């Protein structure tokens, strides 16, 4: 296949990838979008086979490895529970990162196969592109592994902070740039390996200071990195499909990070540099302990909701932890049978990744037109009889609107306190991730339901009958 | 003077960033998780490079170091491609509208 023809097909698969993302603008078009994506991938792979040329034994090896990977991937995709989606995505990011590193290594060791010149005489531009690709890929790899371990609970979600951490990162970053400069002049193997090694290290150091609830930002950021790594390799290979895709994925992840940061009213750097969770956790505990709290049981909750005509449900990460989404849907079915109008309100940073709550609700067969985003639904709380908060905390805290001293001041929050009564399912009175007390607990119209989310919801459903 | 082909690729890259910017802003927030899994799947088009790396050189010397890195990258990327698209498909199947009574 001629180079021009294959380049045109790569362009085509790039366009199909754009259409795949475009499809996600609504759930109806999204499935077709995914097919566009698959088609684009098949075209890219076939064209590569044809342009490398020669159907010999080696191709069989490639197909075997492709099938091994494919089978593993398919098994994971079918088996993974929806609550594990954040760690799955983090795990997948790490694979893209490592694949980028491997391709870059291969290109460095055998540049003639990629038309990049000969060993020791690789074109300078290609050398810069491949070492950037390898470096970003390596950061993506180790960073995603750490994110994966934290999300999976293998590693504590608490931020790990030590002195001068950010200076170390900065120095390592500068060191990599200097090494790339020297690599261009000397082309020595050891420089190349050092660059990759230091990048692995940065990936770890970059993610360990970030706490569990900031994971939505981290996952989005790593998503973005994996795109930039792919683009770097795309420049090396002079491959349009890879360049287009890298740019798409890079900007997609960047936008998601931005949306997540805005959802917390924090700057990107504030999240990345750690801040919050760790430092403030101890300072706010003392003051408000004496305040009275109204607590109730499932019967009280059922009674309140029986007399309601509209209920808004506010799910959060706690719902995912307790795996309460199915039980919640069953409760809502019962409410609906009693002619109560039920809607769901989702805060942008609820859960551990963008759109986490939406997927869980969809899994529990909640129709997506009953689920609303913060801006769409926030004014409805004033007309709602009951706000049912399950597993969310900081995102409902009215302090964000009233107390300029609070670390979460200015963060957009759901106005749950405006509804006639608030039911708050929670294990204990402990503060949420931000480490600050939730004013909502002590309000007259709040009834605390101290229990495991799933159990409580099941009991309420029973109490209804 | 002739234009360096690098500039063309850079143009594609930068224009794609803009395309990505506008396309991703139009993605509905409820589909942000599928967006991440599908971007993950498509970024595995890096398999193109892995295949070239794996097939480099003559048939007798197919398992040189650079080829082995290529084969490893093929496995990693294939996990992502199949896993990413299939899990996206699985998620998207779940998004249903209210049944009309």
């Amino acid at each position: 296949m001629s180079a021009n023809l294959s380049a045109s097909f790569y362009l085509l698969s790039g366009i199909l990838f754009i259409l795949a993302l475009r499809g996600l603008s609504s759930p109806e078009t999204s499935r077709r979008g995914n097919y566009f994506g698959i088609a684009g991938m098949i075209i890219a792979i076939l064209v590569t086979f044809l342009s490398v040329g020669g159907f010999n034994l080696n191709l069989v090896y490639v197909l075997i490895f492709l099938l091994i990977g494919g089978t593993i991937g398919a098994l994971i995709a079918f088996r993974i529970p929806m609550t594990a989606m954040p760690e799955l995505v983090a795990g997948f990011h790490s694979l893209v990162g490592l694949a980028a590193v491997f391709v870059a290594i291969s290109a460095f060791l055998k540049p003639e196969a990629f038309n990049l010149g000969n060993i020791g005489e690789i074109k300078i531009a290609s050398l810069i592109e491949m070492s950037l690709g390898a470096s970003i890929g390596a950061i993506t790899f180790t960073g995603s592994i750490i994110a994966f371990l934290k999300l999976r609970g293998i590693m504590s979600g608490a931020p790990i902070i030590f002195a001068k951490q950010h200076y170390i990162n900065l120095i390592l970053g500068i060191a990599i740039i200097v090494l790339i400069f020297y690599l261009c002049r000397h082309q020595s193997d050891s420089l190349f390996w050092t660059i990759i090694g230091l990048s692995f290290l940065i990936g770890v150091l970059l993610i360990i200071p970030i706490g569990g609830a900031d994971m939505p930002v981290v996952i989005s950021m790593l998503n973005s990195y994996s795109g930039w790594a792919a683009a770097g390799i795309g420049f090396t290979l002079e491959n349009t499909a890879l360049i287009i895709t890298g740019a798409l994925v890079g900007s997609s992840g960047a936008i998601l990070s931005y949306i997540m940061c805005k959802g917390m009213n924090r700057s990107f750097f504030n999240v990345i540099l750690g801040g919050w969770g760790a430092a403030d956790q101890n300072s706010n505990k003392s003051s408000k302990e004496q305040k009275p709290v109204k607590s109730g049981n499932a019967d009280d909750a059922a009674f309140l909701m029986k007399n309601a005509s509209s209920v808004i449900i506010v799910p959060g990460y706690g719902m995912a932890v307790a795996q309460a989404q199915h039980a919640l849907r069953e409760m809502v079915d019962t409410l609906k049978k009693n002619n109560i109008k039920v809607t769901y309100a989702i805060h942008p940073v609820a859960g551990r990744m963008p759109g986490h709550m939406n997927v869980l609700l969809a899994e529990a067969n909640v129709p997506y037109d009953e689920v609303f985003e913060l801006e769409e639904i926030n004014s409805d709380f004033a007309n709602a009889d009951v706000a049912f908060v399950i597993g969310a905390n900081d995102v409902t805290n009215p302090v964000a609107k009233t107390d300029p001293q609070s670390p979460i001041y200015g963060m957009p929050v759901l106005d749950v306190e405006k509804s006639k009564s608030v039911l708050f399912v929670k294990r204990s009175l402990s503060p949420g991730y931000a480490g600050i007390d939730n004013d909502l607990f002590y309000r007259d119209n709040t009834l605390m339901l101290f229990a495991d989310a799933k159990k409580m919801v099941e009991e309420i459903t029973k109490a209804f009958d | 003077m002739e234009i360096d082909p690098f500039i063309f690729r850079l143009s594609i890259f930068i224009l794609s960033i803009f395309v990505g910017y506008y396309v991703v802003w139009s993605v509905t927030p409820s589909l942000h998780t599928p967006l991440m899994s599908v971007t993950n799947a498509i970024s595995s088009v890096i398999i193109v490079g892995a295949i070239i790396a794996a097939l480099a050189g003559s048939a007798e010397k197919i398992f040189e170091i650079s080829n082995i890195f290529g084969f490893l990258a093929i496995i990693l990327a294939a996990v992502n491609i199949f896993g990413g698209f299939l899990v996206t498909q699985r998620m998207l199947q779940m998004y249903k509208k209210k049944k009309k009574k």
Side-chain angles (χ1 to χ4, degrees):
Chain A
M1 194 180 258
S2 83
N4 287 334
L5 191 59
S6 52
S8 316
F9 275 111
Y10 284 134
L11 178 64
L12 179 63
S13 72
I15 292 167
L16 286 167
F17 291 151
I18 295 172
L19 293 175
L21 298 193
R22 180 74 188 113
L24 291 170
S25 56
S26 85
E28 288 99 79
T29 54
S30 62
R31 284 171 279 257
R32 195 184 53 205
N34 201 38
Y35 292 126
F36 282 135
I38 295 171
M41 187 61 72
I42 292 173
I43 291 175
I45 293 176
L46 286 180
V47 169
T48 312
F49 280 146
L50 292 174
S51 57
V52 172
F55 284 91
N56 57 29
L57 195 63
N58 303 353
L59 209 62
V60 179
Y61 288 121
V62 170
L63 288 174
I64 291 172
F65 283 98
L66 196 69
L67 281 178
I68 295 173
T71 315
I72 299 171
L75 284 177
I76 296 173
F78 285 121
R79 295 228 171 132
I80 191 91
M82 284 299 145
T83 38
M85 210 43 70
E87 53 261 45
L88 178 77
V89 169
F92 277 171
H93 287 157
S94 74
L95 299 183
V96 179
L98 193 59
V101 175
F102 284 170
V103 173
I105 291 176
S106 187
F108 182 76
L109 294 177
K110 209 175 228 176
E112 66 273 16
F114 296 85
N115 292 322
L116 305 176
N118 295 310
I119 297 173
E121 296 158 8
I122 302 172
K123 284 183 275 181
I124 299 297
S126 310
L127 210 53
I128 296 173
E129 291 154 5
M130 78 170 77
S131 36
L132 279 178
S135 173
I136 302 171
I139 294 172
T140 313
F141 173 63
T142 47
S144 301
I145 296 276
I146 301 291
F148 174 85
L149 294 176
K150 285 192 168 192
L151 287 164
R152 191 89 224 170
I154 299 170
M155 202 172 141
S156 154
I160 299 168
I161 292 174
F162 51 87
K164 305 265 186 314
Q165 194 162 24
H166 306 308
Y167 294 103
I168 296 175
N169 288 343
L170 188 68
I171 291 166
L172 285 173
I174 294 169
I176 287 178
I177 294 168
V178 173
L179 285 173
I180 291 177
F181 177 74
Y182 277 104
L183 181 69
C184 293
R185 298 181 67 181
H186 303 296
Q187 308 222 354
S188 88
D189 287 13
S190 51
L191 281 174
F192 189 68
W193 298 119
T194 317
I195 290 170
I196 292 177
L198 287 182
S199 306
F200 279 138
L201 188 61
I202 289 194
V204 175
L205 293 177
L206 209 56
I207 308 300
I208 52 168
I210 305 177
D214 285 336
M215 278 302 149
V217 182
V218 171
I219 299 194
S220 315
M221 181 186 82
L222 291 166
N223 186 232
S224 180
Y225 283 3
S226 71
W228 305 131
I233 303 296
F235 275 103
T236 319
L237 305 182
E238 311 187 344
N239 184 306
T240 347
L242 209 40
I243 295 175
I244 294 176
T245 317
L248 288 178
V249 178
S251 51
S252 163
I255 290 172
L256 288 177
S257 320
Y258 171 77
I259 294 174
M260 294 302 113
C261 289
K262 227 178 136 213
M264 297 190 287
N265 190 37
R266 297 166 67 192
S267 76
F268 182 71
F269 284 100
N270 182 289
V271 176
I272 294 311
L273 298 182
W276 247 27
D280 301 323
Q281 216 139 43
N282 301 318
S283 56
N284 287 294
K285 272 184 184 162
S286 51
S287 58
K288 291 177 178 172
E289 269 165 10
Q290 308 298 327
K291 283 192 186 173
V293 171
K294 274 201 287 184
S295 80
N297 58 24
D299 293 324
D300 304 331
F303 177 77
L304 260 174
M305 287 202 271
K306 248 180 206 166
N307 293 316
S309 59
S310 67
V311 172
I312 299 177
I313 295 181
V314 181
Y317 181 59
M319 181 188 79
V321 174
Q323 304 255 15
Q325 66 271 30
H326 296 280
L328 179 68
R329 215 270 337 287
E330 279 161 27
M331 185 190 90
V332 169
D333 287 348
T334 318
L335 293 180
K336 282 189 192 158
K337 266 186 227 147
N338 289 279
N339 289 318
I340 301 165
K341 185 175 168 264
V342 184
T343 44
Y344 298 81
I346 312 262
H347 191 275
V349 294
R352 286 293 186 261
M353 76 183 292
H356 193 184
M357 291 299 125
N358 303 78
V359 174
L360 293 182
L361 293 176
E363 188 203 11
N365 282 317
V366 173
Y368 63 80
D369 40 7
E370 289 176 8
V371 183
F372 298 93
E373 303 300 319
L374 178 118
E375 316 85 68
E376 297 171 321
I377 201 168
N378 227 2
S379 54
D380 294 356
F381 280 105
N383 305 317
D385 295 313
V386 174
F388 188 81
V389 184
I390 172 166
N393 187 359
D394 291 333
V395 298
T396 62
N397 196 341
V399 158
K401 289 175 287 192
T402 52
D403 178 13
Q405 306 301 319
S406 167
I408 61 167
Y409 182 71
M411 171 170 133
V413 287
L414 291 158
D415 297 332
V416 288
E417 78 279 3
K418 289 193 180 148
S419 52
K420 283 204 194 85
S421 43
V422 179
L423 292 172
F424 210 110
V425 186
K426 204 170 178 309
R427 295 231 187 131
S428 67
L429 271 184
S430 64
Y433 172 69
I436 47 166
D437 212 13
N438 194 339
D439 234 20
L440 205 57
F441 300 164
Y442 315 103
R443 298 233 171 178
D444 289 337
N445 61 342
T446 304
L447 187 67
M448 298 298 294
L449 306 168
F450 293 114
D452 172 73
K454 193 177 173 189
K455 258 199 198 140
M456 177 50 76
V457 171
E458 282 166 353
E459 278 170 26
I460 294 175
T461 314
K462 266 189 220 145
F464 240 83
D465 299 325
Chain B
M1 205 179 90
E2 223 178 309
I3 299 171
D4 189 322
F6 173 79
I7 299 301
F8 286 118
R9 288 191 281 279
L10 192 66
S11 324
I12 293 172
F13 179 64
I14 292 181
L15 290 176
S16 302
I17 291 176
F18 278 92
V19 172
Y21 180 85
Y22 289 108
V23 169
V24 172
W25 271 118
S26 76
V27 171
T28 165
S30 68
L31 292 176
H32 275 163
T33 299
L35 171 69
M36 301 201 87
S37 62
V38 86
T39 48
N40 188 68
I42 63 173
S43 58
S44 305
V45 73
I46 199 156
I47 197 168
V48 166
I51 294 173
I52 298 174
L55 291 177
S58 60
E60 300 85 58
K61 290 195 230 158
I62 187 70
F63 285 111
E64 283 190 352
I65 297 242
S66 68
N67 299 84
I68 291 171
F69 276 113
F71 282 116
L72 290 176
I74 288 178
I75 296 184
L76 297 177
V79 172
N80 259 314
I81 293 172
F82 283 74
F85 280 124
L86 288 173
V87 87
T88 309
Q89 193 69 19
R90 211 182 120 199
M91 275 192 266
L92 295 177
Q93 301 292 3
M94 299 186 316
Y95 282 81
K96 291 185 195 91
K97 245 190 162 145
K98 213 179 319 192
K99 280 185 216 107
K100 285 195 183 113
K101 284 176 191 164

